[in-house]
């Protein structure tokens, strides 16, 4: 992301929006950065028919995985710069049914090479958020 020590939250949002603009899959999903600060990111994807599990009527698990992975990696990137995901574990807690998926990622611990992060994934339906998944990820500096 950004390597300067005087980075503002607005700079982080702009940097992450640039990542989305240059990432075909993130752009296809319509990912949006809602908030960003050092060690924390909030992103959203509006629910639409082509990202639904057609058989069951809720958001496809791969989309939830993208939001979880992105929330974790982008939160790490706000502190560590250029990063990639080494691994993540995703727990589905409830079907994602609603108008918007929101991922809130945060850094738990950052070392010189590895950043451990967590993300909570919510589905917004009729103004109420429901926790639908949680993730724990190990992110490494490139």
């Amino acid at each position: 992301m950004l390597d300067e020590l005087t980075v503002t939250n607005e700079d982080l949002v702009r940097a992450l929006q640039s990542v989305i603009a240059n990432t075909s899959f993130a752009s296809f999903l319509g990912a949006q950065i809602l908030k960003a600060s050092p060690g924390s990111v909030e992103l959203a994807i509006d629910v639409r028919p082509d990202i639904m599990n057609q058989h069951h009527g809720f958001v496809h698990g791969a989309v939830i995985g993208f939001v979880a992975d992105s929330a974790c990696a982008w939160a790490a990137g706000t502190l560590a710069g250029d990063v990639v995901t080494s691994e993540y574990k995703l727990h589905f807690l409830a079907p994602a049914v609603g108008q918007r998926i929101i991922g809130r990622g945060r850094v738990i611990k950052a070392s010189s090479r590895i950043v451990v992060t967590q993300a909570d994934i919510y589905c917004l339906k009729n103004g109420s958020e429901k926790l639908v998944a949680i993730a724990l990820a190990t992110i490494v500096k490139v």
Side-chain angles (χ1 to χ4, degrees), residues 106-125:
R106 67 186 174 283
V107 170
I108 295 171
K109 171 122 174 111
S111 69
S112 62
R113 178 102 172 100
I114 294 173
V115 184
V116 177
T117 59
Q118 182 175 338
D120 298 323
I121 313 305
Y122 298 88
C123 192
L124 181 66
K125 182 177 181 182

Side-chain angles (χ1 to χ4, degrees), residues 20 26-33 43-45 66 74:
I20 291 169
S27 294
F28 167 75
L29 289 176
Q32 308 161 44
I33 301 300
L43 70 128
I45 292 177
F66 165 81
W74 295 346

